[in-house]
C-alpha cells in the first residue's frame, strides 16, 4: 500500500510537471514555425495555446496577436490584401494591449507585413505612413539584417511613390547595414545597389548610377544560386549604360556574358529580353544586317506566342522595333524606318502600350522633319503629348516633345505660341514656375545630369537661336548663349572623361558650335570660364592615359617597368577568344596587377589622375614667344581659338564643307611633286590664317592643335607675309591643349642613367607580306639602314639592325633610351585600328593594341616610315594613328609622316634634324632648320612633297642642353671660382695690414 501511494504521488507530480512544460514547448514550436513561414501550422499552435488560457491571462494578448499575424500572412499569400491589413492591425492592437514592449523584433515583423499588404493592395502612401511609424522602433535590439531589410523596403516604397531622392537615401542606408553583416548578404546587396542605380537613373545622376549597377553585378555574380533572370537584368542595364557612354570594350564584354547566359534561359520573357538586347548591341556596333536579321527572328518568336504571352512581352518587342527604326533614321533609310514604326504602332495600340506609342510618334517626327513635313510633325508631337493624359510618359520625354514643338512653332507667325510652349518646357525642366531661362541654374542639375537633360538644354538653346534668326531680338541670342553655357556645364557633370562615342561627340560639338555662334553674334569676347569649359568637355582620354603612364616614372625602378612590359606583351599574344588561353590570361593579369601594386608603392603618382584645373592664366604663363591656334570643326562652320601670353580670341573660319574640300584637294596636290601648290596654299592661308595673321607678328613659335580633317594638313607650307611658315616660324603640333599643358607643366625626370638613342632598322625575308604598298622606300630597306647608321653615329647611339631589330629587343629596352628611331614598315588596318602595327625583323608585328598597354617613357620617338601619322578618323578622339598610340604609351613627343616621303630626301632631313638635336636645339626648331637647310641645298626640290611630310608633335624641349649654354655654365663657374679666390686673397692681405 505505501508503495502504491508513492507510485501514484510520483505519477501525479510527473504528469503535473509535464502539463506545465507543455505550453512552453508549444510556444517555442509556434515561434519556430513562424520563422519557417509555416503559417498554417503556426496558426493552429497559437489557437491551441489560446484554448488553454483564459482571456485574462497575461500572455493571452501576445498569443492572440501572433495568431492574428499568422492569419494575416495567409490572407496576404492568397491575395486578399485588404483582409490581411485588418489582421495585421489587429495583431498590433493586441500586442499593445499585452504591453509586450520586449517583443521588438516581432513588432517590426508586423509593421513589415502591414506595409507590404498595403503596398500590394495599391495603397503606397498608407504603406509609407505605417513603414515610417515602425521605423521609429528600429534600434540595436533589432538584428542588423532585419533593420537592413526594413530600411531597404522603405527605399522601395519611396521609389514607387516617385520620391527618388528619398528612395536613394534609404537604399544607401540599407547598403551600409548589409555591408556591416558578418556574413555578407550578396543577393540583398546586389538588389539594393541595383535599385539605387535605378533611382539615380530617375534623378539623372549618371556616374553614380553606373557605379551602383557595377556593384550590383559584382554581388549578384558572387551570390549562390542567384536566378539567371537577375543576372540578365543587370547585364542588360549595364550594356545599355556602357553603350550610352561609349565604353565599347565594356559593352562587348557584357554582351559576351549575356550570350553565355542565354543558353540557360528558357522562359519566354527572358528570351524576349535577349532578342531586345541583341538589337541594342547590333545597332550600337553598326551591324545593321545582323540587327535586321535579329528583328526578323524576333517577329517569328513573337507571333508564335499566345495572346497572353504577347501582352506580357510586347514591351520588349516594341523597344526592339523602335531601336532599329531609330538606327535606320540615323542612316537616313526612312522607308525602312517607316515600315518598322508602322508595325510598332499597330502592336502598341493592340496591347495598349501607350508609353511605347509615345516613342513611336517621336521617332516619326524625326522622319517628318527630315522630309520637310512640318505640319505632319506638329500633329505627331500633339499625339505624343496627348498620351501623357493616359500614362506617365516621363518628365524628360514631355520636356523634349515640348521643345521640339516650340522649335516648329518658331518657324511660323505669330511667334507668341512658340514662346509659351518653350516656357512650359523650361518650367518642367526647372521643376518650378519660371519667367526667364536664366532662372535655371547648374545647381538644378547637380544630381540629375543625364544626357537627356543635356539634350533638353541644348535644344532649348537652339530654339532661342532659331528665334533670333526670326526676330533679331538680342534677348533671344542672349538666352541661347546662356543655355548653351548651361548645357556645357551639365555635359561636364555627365561626361566622366571617358572615351567618346559618336553621339556624345555630336552632342558636344553641337553645344560648342552653338556657344561660338552666339558669342560671335553678341560680339562678346570668349571668357576664361567658357574657354576652359570647352576644353575640359572635349575628350580627355589621351591626356589621362599619357599622364598615368608617363608621370609615374619619377621614382620607379626600370626593371619593374621592363618586366611589366614583357608580361603585357605576353598577354596581348594570347587570343581572348580561345578558351584554352583563359587560365594563362588570368595568371598574367594577376602578375601584372601585382607588379602595378609594387610600382604604386614606389610612386603613388602611378595611379593618379591629372586634377589640376585648367585655367587660361596657367596656359598663358607658358606662352612667352609662342602662339597656340586651336581649331574646332563644327557641323556647319569651323572656328579657331588663338591664345598668346596676353590674348584670347575666337575667330570664325568659314563653312566646314568648303574648307574640307579645299584641304582634301590640297593634300592630294602635296603628294604630287609636279603639281603647283601655290594657289591652293594661298586659298587655305586666307581661310585658316587670314584673320589670325596680325596675332602671329612677334611670335617665334606656332603650335597648331588641329581637329578632324585638319590633321592631314602640314601648316608650315601655308604662307605668312608672302613666305612659307617654315621659313618664318618654328611650327609644331599638339594632340590637345590639355595634353600640351600637361607636358609644359611637368618637368622631365633627369635621365642620367638613360642612354641617348636606339635605332631599329630590320630586314624582311622574301616571301613576307606587307599589308600597305610602298613606293620603294622600304622595299629592301637599304636607305633606311643607312639612315639609321648615320643617326646612330651622329648621336653615338645603339644600333639594332637586321635580325637584331626584333619585337623582343624593342620591348626589353623601352625604358633604357631617351630617343627611339624606328625605320621600318608600318601596316594600317582602317577597319580594326588596333590591329595596325609596326613590322620588326622578318615581319614580326607589334600591334597598336600592344602599344596602348605599354609603358614607354621615351622623350622622343621618330617614326621614319610612311604615313605613320595618318590613321582612322574617330569621332571625338581625333586621328587614330601610330603617333597617337605612342602618346597613349607615355611618349612625350614624336616625329611622324603625313604621306609617303621619298627615301633619299627623308634621310637628308633626318640626319640634319638629329645634328641640330645634338647641338641642343629644341625639337621644333631642329626640324624646321633641317627643312630650311634642305630647301636651301636643293632649290629644285622646293616642292612641299619633298620636305613637308614630317611633323613634330608633343613636347618640343631640347634633348640635350645647347652648346652655348654649356659653355656659359663653365665660364660662369670659372668666374665665380676666380672671384672667390680673389676675394679670399684680398681679405688675407687686409688682415696682414
Amino acid at each position: 500500500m505505501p508503495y502504491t501511494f508513492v507510485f501514484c504521488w510520483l505519477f501525479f507530480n510527473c504528469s503535473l510537471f509535464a502539463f506545465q512544460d507543455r505550453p512552453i514547448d508549444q510556444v517555442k514550436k509556434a515561434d519556430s514555425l513562424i520563422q519557417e513561414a509555416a503559417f498554417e501550422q503556426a496558426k493552429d499552435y497559437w489557437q491551441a495555446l489560446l484554448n488553454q488560457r483564459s482571456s485574462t491571462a497575461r500572455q493571452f494578448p501576445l498569443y492572440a496577436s501572433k495568431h492574428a499575424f499568422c492569419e494575416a500572412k495567409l490572407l496576404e499569400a492568397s491575395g486578399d490584401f485588404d483582409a490581411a491589413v485588418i489582421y495585421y492591425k489587429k495583431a498590433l492592437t493586441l500586442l499593445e494591449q499585452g504591453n509586450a514592449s520586449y517583443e521588438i523584433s516581432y513588432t517590426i515583423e508586423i509593421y513589415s507585413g502591414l506595409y507590404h499588404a498595403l503596398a500590394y493592395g495599391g495603397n503606397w502612401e498608407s504603406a509609407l505612413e505605417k513603414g515610417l511609424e515602425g521605423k521609429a522602433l528600429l534600434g540595436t535590439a533589432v538584428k542588423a539584417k532585419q533593420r537592413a531589410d526594413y530600411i531597404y523596403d522603405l527605399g522601395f516604397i519611396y521609389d514607387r511613390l516617385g520620391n527618388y531622392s528619398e528612395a536613394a537615401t534609404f537604399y544607401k542606408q540599407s547598403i551600409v547595414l548589409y555591408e556591416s553583416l558578418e556574413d555578407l548578404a550578396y543577393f540583398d546587396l546586389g538588389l539594393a545597389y541595383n535599385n539605387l542605380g535605378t533611382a539615380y537613373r530617375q534623378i539623372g545622376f549618371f556616374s553614380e548610377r553606373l557605379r551602383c549597377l557595377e556593384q550590383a553585378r559584382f554581388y549578384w555574380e558572387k551570390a549562390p544560386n542567384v536566378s539567371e533572370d537577375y543576372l540578365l537584368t543587370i547585364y542588360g542595364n549595364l550594356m545599355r549604360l556602357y553603350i550610352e557612354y561609349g565604353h565599347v570594350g565594356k559593352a562587348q564584354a557584357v554582351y559576351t556574358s549575356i550570350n553565355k547566359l542565354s543558353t540557360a534561359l528558357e522562359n519566354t520573357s527572358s528570351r524576349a529580353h535577349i532578342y531586345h538586347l541583341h538589337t541594342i548591341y547590333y545597332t550600337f556596333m553598326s551591324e545593321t544586317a545582323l540587327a535586321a536579321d535579329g528583328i526578323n527572328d524576333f517577329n517569328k518568336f513573337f507571333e508564335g506566342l499566345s495572346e497572353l504571352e504577347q501582352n506580357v512581352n510586347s514591351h520588349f518587342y516594341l523597344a526592339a522595333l523602335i531601336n532599329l527604326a531609330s538606327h535606320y533614321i540615323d542612316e537616313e533609310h526612312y522607308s525602312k524606318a517607316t515600315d518598322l514604326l508602322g508595325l510598332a504602332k499597330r502592336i502598341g495600340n493592340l496591347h495598349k502600350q501607350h508609353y511605347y506609342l509615345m516613342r513611336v510618334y517621336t521617332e516619326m517626327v524625326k522622319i517628318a522633319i527630315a522630309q520637310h513635313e512640318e505640319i505632319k510633325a506638329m500633329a505627331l508631337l500633339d499625339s505624343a503629348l496627348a498620351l501623357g493624359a493616359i500614362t506617365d510618359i516621363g518628365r524628360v520625354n514631355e520636356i523634349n516633345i515640348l521643345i521640339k514643338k516650340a522649335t516648329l512653332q518658331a518657324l511660323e507667325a505669330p511667334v507668341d505660341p512658340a514662346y509659351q510652349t518653350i516656357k512650359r518646357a523650361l518650367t518642367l525642366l526647372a521643376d518650378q514656375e519660371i519667367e526667364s531661362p536664366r532662372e535655371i541654374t547648374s545647381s538644378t542639375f547637380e544630381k540629375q545630369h543625364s544626357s537627356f537633360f543635356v539634350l533638353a538644354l541644348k535644344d532649348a538653346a537652339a530654339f532661342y537661336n532659331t528665334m533670333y534668326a526670326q526676330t533679331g531680338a538680342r534677348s533671344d541670342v542672349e538666352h541661347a548663349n546662356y543655355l548653351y553655357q548651361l548645357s556645357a556645364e551639365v555635359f561636364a557633370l555627365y561626361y566622366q572623361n571617358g572615351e567618346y562615342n559618336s553621339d556624345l561627340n555630336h552632342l558636344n560639338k553641337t553645344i560648342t558650335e552653338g556657344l561660338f555662334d552666339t558669342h560671335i553674334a553678341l560680339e562678346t569676347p570668349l571668357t576664361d570660364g567658357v574657354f576652359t569649359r570647352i576644353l575640359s568637355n572635349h575628350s580627355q582620354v589621351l591626356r589621362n592615359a599619357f599622364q598615368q603612364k608617363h608621370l609615374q616614372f619619377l621614382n620607379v625602378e626600370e626593371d619593374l617597368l621592363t618586366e611589366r612590359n614583357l608580361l603585357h606583351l605576353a598577354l596581348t599574344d594570347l587570343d581572348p577568344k580561345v578558351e584554352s588561353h583563359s587560365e594563362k590570361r588570368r595568371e598574367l593579369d594577376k602578375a601584372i596587377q601585382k607588379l602595378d601594386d609594387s610600382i604604386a608603392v614606389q610612386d603613388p603618382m602611378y595611379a593618379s589622375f591629372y586634377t589640376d584645373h585648367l585655367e587660361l592664366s596657367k596656359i598663358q604663363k607658358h606662352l612667352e614667344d609662342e602662339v597656340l591656334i586651336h581649331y574646332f570643326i563644327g557641323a556647319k562652320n569651323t572656328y579657331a581659338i588663338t591664345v598668346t601670353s596676353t590674348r584670347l580670341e575666337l575667330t570664325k573660319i568659314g563653312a566646314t564643307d568648303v574648307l574640307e574640300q579645299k584641304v582634301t584637294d590640297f593634300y592630294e596636290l602635296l603628294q604630287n611633286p609636279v603639281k603647283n601648290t601655290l594657289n591652293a596654299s594661298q586659298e587655305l592661308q586666307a581661310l585658316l590664317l587670314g584673320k589670325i595673321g596680325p596675332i602671329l607678328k612677334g611670335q617665334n613659335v606656332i603650335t597648331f592643335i588641329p581637329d578632324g580633317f585638319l590633321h592631314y594638313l602640314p601648316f608650315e607650307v601655308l604662307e605668312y607675309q608672302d613666305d612659307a611658315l617654315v621659313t618664318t616660324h618654328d611650327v609644331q603640333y599638339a594632340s590637345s591643349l590639355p595634353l600640351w599643358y600637361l607636358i609644359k607643366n611637368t618637368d622631365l625626370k633627369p635621365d642620367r642613367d638613360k642612354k641617348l638613342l636606339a635605332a631599329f632598322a630590320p630586314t624582311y625575308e622574301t616571301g613576307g607580306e606587307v599589308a600597305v604598298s610602298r613606293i620603294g622606300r622600304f622595299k629592301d630597306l637599304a636607305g633606311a639602314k643607312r639612315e639609321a647608321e648615320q643617326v646612330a653615329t651622329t648621336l653615338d647611339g645603339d644600333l639594332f639592325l637586321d635580325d637584331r631589330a626584333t619585337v623582343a629587343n624593342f620591348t626589353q629596352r623601352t625604358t633604357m633610351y631617351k630617343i627611339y628611331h624606328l625605320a621600318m614598315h608600318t601596316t594600317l588596318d582602317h577597319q580594326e585600328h588596333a590591329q595596325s602595327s609596326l613590322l620588326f625583323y622578318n615581319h614580326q608585328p607589334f600591334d597598336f593594341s600592344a602599344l596602348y598597354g605599354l609603358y614607354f617613357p621615351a622623350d622622343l620617338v621618330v617614326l621614319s616610315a610612311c604615313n605613320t601619322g595618318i590613321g582612322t578618323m574617330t569621332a571625338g578622339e581625333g586621328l587614330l594613328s601610330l603617333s597617337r598610340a605612342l602618346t597613349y604609351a607615355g611618349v612625350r613627343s614624336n616625329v611622324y609622316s603625313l604621306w609617303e616621303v621619298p627615301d633619299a630626301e627623308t634621310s637628308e632631313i633626318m640626319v640634319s634634324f638629329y645634328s641640330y638635336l645634338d647641338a641642343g636645339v629644341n625639337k621644333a626648331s631642329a626640324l624646321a632648320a633641317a627643312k630650311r637647310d634642305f630647301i636651301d641645298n636643293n632649290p629644285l626640290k622646293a616642292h612641299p612633297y619633298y620636305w613637308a611630310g614630317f611633323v613634330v608633335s608633343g613636347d618640343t624641349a631640347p634633348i640635350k642642353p645647347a652648346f652655348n649654354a654649356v659653355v656659359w655654365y663653365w665660364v660662369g663657374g670659372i668666374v665665380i671660382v676666380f672671384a672667390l679666390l680673389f676675394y679670399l686673397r684680398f681679405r688675407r692681405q687686409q688682415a696682414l695690414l
Side-chain angles (χ1 to χ4, degrees):
M1 187 72 173
Y3 293 106
T4 304
F5 174 78
V6 170
F7 173 79
C8 291
W9 182 85
L10 288 171
F11 177 81
F12 174 78
N13 281 279
C14 288
S15 299
L16 179 62
F17 293 144
F19 178 77
Q20 289 173 340
D21 288 340
R22 191 173 163 194
I24 297 174
D25 293 338
Q26 284 183 314
V27 169
K28 289 181 179 179
K29 180 63 176 177
D31 279 332
S32 68
L33 288 169
I34 287 178
Q35 296 304 312
E36 295 168 10
F39 297 113
E40 190 71 60
Q41 291 175 274
K43 176 186 166 186
D44 292 340
Y45 268 87
W46 291 118
Q47 185 62 60
L49 283 164
L50 289 172
N51 292 339
Q52 297 168 15
R53 299 277 174 161
S54 164
S55 60
T56 58
R58 186 173 63 85
Q59 294 294 329
F60 190 88
L62 175 61
Y63 296 171
S65 171
K66 293 191 175 185
H67 181 269
F69 176 79
C70 291
E71 183 65 36
K73 284 289 183 184
L74 293 168
L75 288 166
E76 183 183 333
S78 70
D80 192 348
F81 302 118
D82 291 340
V85 167
I86 293 171
Y87 273 91
Y88 279 128
K89 288 181 176 179
K90 181 180 178 181
L92 270 180
T93 302
L94 289 166
L95 193 62
E96 290 169 2
Q97 290 175 2
N99 196 26
S101 58
Y102 56 89
E103 289 276 353
I104 297 297
S105 290
Y106 169 59
T107 308
I108 294 301
E109 285 186 45
I110 299 175
Y111 272 108
S112 176
L114 177 56
Y115 65 64
H116 272 96
L118 286 165
Y120 294 149
N123 299 314
W124 289 94
E125 291 284 358
S126 298
L128 179 62
E129 180 186 343
K130 287 299 178 182
L132 292 175
E133 187 179 305
K135 178 179 174 290
L137 301 174
L138 293 178
T140 54
V142 179
K143 292 180 180 179
K145 177 67 166 65
Q146 191 177 17
R147 274 185 287 146
D149 290 342
Y150 197 98
I151 295 298
Y152 166 85
D153 287 343
L154 287 177
F156 188 81
I157 295 171
Y158 274 119
D159 202 336
R160 288 299 301 265
L161 288 170
N163 191 339
Y164 302 114
S165 59
E166 281 298 317
T169 299
F170 277 89
Y171 284 142
K172 284 190 286 187
Q173 288 177 11
S174 72
I175 287 168
V176 171
L177 289 168
Y178 283 130
E179 289 179 339
S180 70
L181 298 177
E182 221 172 283
D183 294 324
L184 283 181
Y186 291 119
F187 175 79
D188 294 324
L189 271 167
L191 194 62
Y193 269 116
N194 181 74
N195 286 12
L196 179 57
T198 303
Y200 281 140
R201 176 181 181 274
Q202 298 296 336
I203 296 169
F205 200 175
F206 172 85
S207 54
E208 282 301 299
R209 176 189 172 198
L210 175 59
R211 185 186 67 82
C212 289
L213 293 183
E214 288 176 333
Q215 285 293 102
R217 177 187 183 179
F218 172 78
Y219 284 116
W220 273 347
E221 286 182 337
K222 292 175 77 71
N225 303 319
V226 67
S227 167
E228 285 86 359
D229 290 318
Y230 282 104
L231 291 175
L232 181 62
T233 298
I234 197 64
Y235 291 157
N237 288 341
L238 275 173
M239 189 183 77
R240 278 188 285 264
L241 210 52
Y242 289 143
I243 285 173
E244 180 184 348
Y245 201 60
H247 286 309
V248 179
K250 291 183 177 181
Q252 289 174 323
V254 174
Y255 182 68
T256 299
S257 297
I258 290 169
N259 280 334
K260 288 180 180 178
L261 196 64
S262 62
T263 57
L265 293 166
E266 296 182 357
N267 68 76
T268 302
S269 292
S270 295
R271 290 178 64 192
H273 191 181
I274 288 171
Y275 275 120
H276 176 214
L277 294 176
H278 283 321
T279 308
I280 292 173
Y281 180 77
Y282 289 141
T283 53
F284 169 63
M285 298 299 291
S286 297
E287 298 281 1
T288 308
L290 289 175
D293 290 343
I295 284 293
N296 289 334
D297 291 340
F298 202 170
N299 287 339
K300 295 173 186 175
F301 170 78
F302 189 78
E303 288 172 0
L305 300 179
S306 68
E307 186 177 342
L308 177 61
E309 287 176 323
Q310 284 188 353
N311 195 52
V312 169
N313 296 291
S314 59
H315 64 289
F316 287 127
Y317 185 43
L318 286 165
L321 290 171
I322 294 166
N323 185 270
L324 181 55
S326 180
H327 180 70
Y328 279 142
I329 292 169
D330 291 340
E331 293 188 336
E332 299 183 3
H333 296 318
Y334 300 126
S335 60
K336 291 181 179 180
T338 300
D339 290 343
L340 285 177
L341 292 173
L343 174 60
K345 182 180 177 182
R346 181 176 64 79
I347 298 296
N349 280 317
L350 180 64
H351 296 283
K352 296 182 172 52
Q353 290 282 4
H354 300 113
Y355 173 82
Y356 288 97
L357 281 171
M358 176 273 298
R359 288 188 56 195
V360 168
Y361 289 137
T362 54
E363 293 297 327
M364 287 178 168
V365 167
K366 295 178 186 178
I367 299 173
I369 291 174
Q371 295 177 338
H372 306 291
E373 297 176 325
E374 285 78 11
I375 295 174
K376 181 179 179 181
M378 189 75 78
L380 288 166
L381 288 171
D382 286 335
S383 296
L385 283 172
L387 288 168
I390 303 172
T391 190
D392 180 13
I393 63 173
R395 172 174 158 233
V396 169
N397 289 317
E398 187 175 357
I399 291 167
N400 282 313
I401 292 168
L402 288 169
I403 293 172
K404 284 183 174 68
K405 182 176 179 178
T407 303
L408 287 174
Q409 289 173 325
L411 302 175
E412 302 173 349
V415 294
D416 286 345
Y419 284 121
Q420 292 168 4
T421 304
I422 199 69
K423 180 184 175 184
R424 182 180 162 194
L426 294 178
T427 293
L428 274 172
L429 187 61
D431 206 19
Q432 62 180 19
E433 190 71 31
I434 63 165
E435 295 299 325
S436 166
R438 290 185 176 273
E439 294 177 44
I440 306 173
T441 65
S442 58
S443 61
T444 306
F445 305 98
E446 285 176 357
K447 289 192 175 182
Q448 48 180 25
H449 45 253
S450 77
S451 59
F452 300 111
F453 292 103
V454 182
L455 280 165
L457 288 167
K458 182 266 296 180
D459 289 344
F463 162 80
Y464 280 106
N465 222 6
T466 302
M467 292 301 293
Y468 173 65
Q470 296 288 99
T471 66
R474 186 176 177 85
S475 60
D476 283 331
V477 73
E478 286 175 340
H479 289 330
N481 182 262
Y482 176 78
L483 288 170
Y484 276 127
Q485 289 190 49
L486 190 57
S487 60
E489 291 178 30
V490 180
F491 183 92
L493 294 171
Y494 168 66
Y495 175 50
Q496 304 297 305
N497 290 349
E499 186 177 354
Y500 270 1
N501 61 25
S502 57
D503 291 336
L504 274 177
N505 178 63
H506 177 73
L507 175 57
N508 187 47
K509 276 187 173 288
T510 305
I511 293 169
T512 301
E513 189 169 6
L515 272 171
F516 289 160
D517 260 346
T518 51
H519 265 87
I520 289 170
L522 289 167
E523 297 181 341
T524 56
L526 204 62
T527 64
D528 182 359
V530 172
F531 172 61
T532 53
R533 171 57 60 220
I534 289 168
L535 292 179
S536 62
N537 279 1
H538 278 69
S539 177
Q540 307 292 297
V541 174
L542 192 59
R543 187 202 67 186
N544 285 343
F546 173 85
Q547 187 224 6
Q548 188 182 19
K549 292 180 181 179
H550 190 91
L551 299 188
Q552 61 180 302
F553 299 106
L554 294 174
N555 299 302
V556 178
E557 294 175 9
E558 291 183 359
D559 288 346
L560 283 177
L561 300 174
T562 300
E563 185 181 350
R564 194 203 184 280
N565 283 343
L566 293 173
L567 288 170
H568 178 77
L569 181 61
L571 182 63
T572 57
D573 285 341
L574 296 173
D575 190 343
K577 297 177 182 177
V578 177
E579 191 67 32
S580 60
H581 290 177
S582 299
E583 184 59 35
K584 184 62 177 176
R585 286 181 63 85
R586 281 194 290 271
E587 290 175 7
L588 288 169
D589 277 329
K590 287 180 181 178
I592 291 172
Q593 184 59 55
K594 187 176 179 180
L595 268 180
D596 285 346
D597 293 341
S598 299
I599 294 169
V601 169
Q602 290 191 21
D603 190 343
M605 289 191 74
Y606 172 77
S608 72
F609 284 93
Y610 186 63
T611 55
D612 188 18
H613 181 60
L614 198 62
E615 295 175 2
L616 178 62
S617 59
K618 293 178 180 179
I619 293 169
Q620 290 177 322
K621 285 179 182 178
H622 296 287
L623 294 173
E624 291 181 11
D625 62 346
E626 180 179 352
V627 58
L628 286 169
I629 305 177
H630 197 327
Y631 290 97
F632 291 87
I633 293 177
K636 295 180 181 177
N637 293 295
T638 296
Y639 306 82
I641 293 179
T642 309
V643 190
T644 70
S645 59
T646 58
R647 301 172 71 170
L648 171 68
E649 293 200 8
L650 170 66
T651 305
K652 185 175 181 178
I653 299 299
T656 294
D657 55 351
V658 174
L659 179 62
E660 183 173 13
Q661 188 59 55
K662 288 185 180 296
V663 170
T664 302
D665 293 343
F666 185 57
Y667 183 70
E668 291 179 3
L669 289 175
L670 288 172
Q671 297 177 75
N672 190 337
V674 301
K675 296 288 186 180
N676 191 318
T677 62
L678 182 60
N679 290 337
S681 173
Q682 288 175 340
E683 287 182 9
L684 279 175
Q685 182 275 334
L687 278 172
L688 294 168
L689 298 176
K691 299 174 184 176
I692 300 171
I695 303 174
L696 303 182
K697 188 177 181 180
Q699 307 291 339
N700 294 323
V701 181
I702 306 174
T703 298
F704 289 101
I705 304 173
D707 187 19
F709 55 80
L710 291 177
H711 282 93
Y712 292 86
L713 180 65
F715 282 81
E716 52 263 63
V717 303
L718 303 182
E719 292 189 356
Y720 172 71
Q721 296 180 347
D722 298 326
D723 289 310
L725 282 177
V726 71
T727 64
T728 62
H729 292 78
D730 291 343
V731 174
Q732 59 194 37
Y733 299 82
S735 300
S736 70
L737 203 153
L739 184 58
W740 173 91
Y741 174 74
L742 173 64
I743 292 172
K744 288 278 189 180
N745 205 43
T746 305
D747 293 328
L748 187 62
K749 172 190 174 185
D751 292 320
R752 298 184 184 90
D753 298 332
K754 279 191 175 183
K755 296 180 181 181
L756 185 56
L757 177 137
F760 287 79
T763 53
Y764 305 101
E765 293 181 5
T766 57
E769 184 177 328
V770 180
V772 179
S773 62
R774 305 298 182 187
I775 58 172
R777 166 158 168 71
F778 289 138
K779 190 172 184 180
D780 59 11
L781 290 179
K785 285 175 65 176
R786 286 194 299 271
E787 176 188 308
E789 288 168 345
Q790 287 179 285
V791 166
T793 301
T794 301
L795 269 67
D796 192 24
D798 292 337
L799 196 56
F800 296 85
L801 291 178
D802 304 330
D803 60 356
R804 294 189 66 225
T806 62
V807 170
N809 278 338
F810 171 70
T811 308
Q812 290 168 4
R813 290 167 174 79
T814 50
T815 61
M816 294 172 60
Y817 298 89
K818 292 182 180 181
I819 305 172
Y820 293 79
H821 182 88
L822 306 179
M824 59 186 64
H825 283 303
T826 58
T827 66
L828 298 179
D829 189 326
H830 292 285
Q831 299 300 316
E832 292 290 340
H833 164 72
Q835 299 305 311
S836 299
S837 62
L838 290 164
L839 290 179
F840 284 81
Y841 170 68
N842 201 21
H843 304 278
Q844 295 174 19
F846 192 71
D847 294 346
F848 289 11
S849 59
L851 270 176
Y852 287 138
L854 198 67
Y855 289 137
F856 194 8
D859 194 4
L860 171 66
V861 172
V862 176
L863 303 162
S864 184
C866 303
N867 290 333
T868 47
I870 299 301
T872 304
M873 190 68 67
T874 296
E877 295 298 334
L879 207 62
L880 294 176
S881 62
L882 177 54
S883 167
R884 186 171 183 272
L886 288 168
T887 306
Y888 257 105
V891 174
R892 289 180 71 88
S893 62
N894 55 80
V895 172
Y896 57 88
S897 61
L898 296 172
W899 58 77
E900 296 180 351
V901 184
D903 180 43
E905 288 77 5
T906 291
S907 293
E908 184 175 341
I909 291 171
M910 282 294 156
V911 172
S912 178
F913 169 64
Y914 278 109
S915 297
Y916 280 110
L917 287 181
D918 191 43
V921 179
N922 74 61
K923 303 179 192 89
S925 298
L927 188 58
K931 290 178 178 180
R932 292 176 200 134
D933 288 350
F934 176 84
I935 295 169
D936 292 341
N937 296 332
N938 302 275
L940 297 180
K941 294 182 178 179
H943 192 285
Y945 166 72
Y946 294 104
W947 55 265
F950 283 98
V951 296
V952 60
S953 177
D955 179 18
T956 58
I959 295 290
K960 299 171 69 174
F963 174 75
N964 288 342
V966 175
V967 172
W968 280 113
Y969 288 146
W970 277 103
V971 170
I974 292 168
V975 168
I976 292 170
V977 170
F978 273 102
L980 182 60
L981 291 172
F982 177 79
Y983 174 72
L984 292 173
R985 184 177 179 184
F986 175 77
R987 288 290 302 270
R988 191 178 297 114
Q989 289 175 347
Q990 288 292 103
L992 291 173
L993 293 174

